Amino acid sequence: MAKVPAGQDAVYRGWMVGADRYAGFVAALAERGVVPRTGAEAHRRAHELPGWYAALAPVTPRSVWTVGDGRDAFDRARAELGGGPAVLRDYRKSAKHHWDEAAYVPDLADGEHAWRMASRLRELRGDDFARGFVLREYEPFTGAEARTW
């Protein structure tokens, strides 16, 4: 923080930061009279799926989420999304590098298997687990893939 000029506005350009950690960053900036262009609540809305989902629902897979990591809430979300395959993540990230054990749920109707995957995702994300589970309808893509960062 010492290198951030006091009394200026600021833009954060860096790695994905969880909403709580970003809020701490904003508070530390405020102590120096620095105002970030993206405040803590705007960051949470943009960074966590429940915050941006309504705006993008027409162009993104149908999604449901829980508040917290409990089994009952997970089963309610699973039932709400319905049967078939889904992609599992938390509010902020997936564990796509653990696709078969913590990301791709082949059939939501198999509650025990789905919960094992959710439990594994929770374990893998550890302290970085972001607020709840998200289940998204699986959409198979067959064309060329394009990624931007």
Side-chain angles (χ1 to χ4, degrees):
M1 291 297 166
K3 292 184 179 185
V4 177
Q8 301 288 317
D9 70 337
V11 175
Y12 174 75
R13 293 174 52 177
W15 292 103
M16 289 176 57
V17 175
D20 294 338
R21 189 167 178 199
Y22 187 82
F25 172 66
V26 168
L29 289 175
E31 291 177 10
R32 296 188 50 75
V34 176
V35 178
R37 291 190 187 167
T38 304
E41 188 52 36
H43 174 81
R44 183 180 296 276
R45 281 192 316 271
H47 200 59
E48 295 182 350
L49 184 138
W52 58 259
Y53 181 76
L56 296 174
V59 294
T60 195
R62 192 164 67 94
S63 304
V64 297
W65 53 88
T66 69
V67 175
D69 59 1
R71 172 77 188 256
D72 290 343
F74 179 78
D75 284 341
R76 282 191 299 275
R78 191 173 53 78
E80 184 180 339
L81 193 57
V87 175
L88 173 65
R89 55 176 287 167
D90 67 17
Y91 282 19
R92 189 164 43 107
K93 286 186 75 173
S94 71
K96 64 182 178 267
H97 46 287
H98 297 278
W99 184 253
D100 291 325
E101 63 179 303
Y104 176 69
V105 181
D107 187 0
L108 289 171
D110 185 347
E112 292 307 313
H113 182 71
W115 179 245
R116 279 193 305 277
M117 295 190 76
S119 298
R120 180 68 174 137
L121 171 69
R122 180 67 182 89
E123 176 187 357
L124 289 167
R125 296 284 293 129
D127 291 341
D128 289 328
F129 183 79
R131 301 171 16 109
F133 293 113
V134 174
L135 288 166
R136 308 191 78 201
E137 252 180 12
Y138 175 73
E139 290 188 8
F141 294 106
T142 57
E145 179 180 329
R147 293 182 183 220
T148 60
W149 282 269

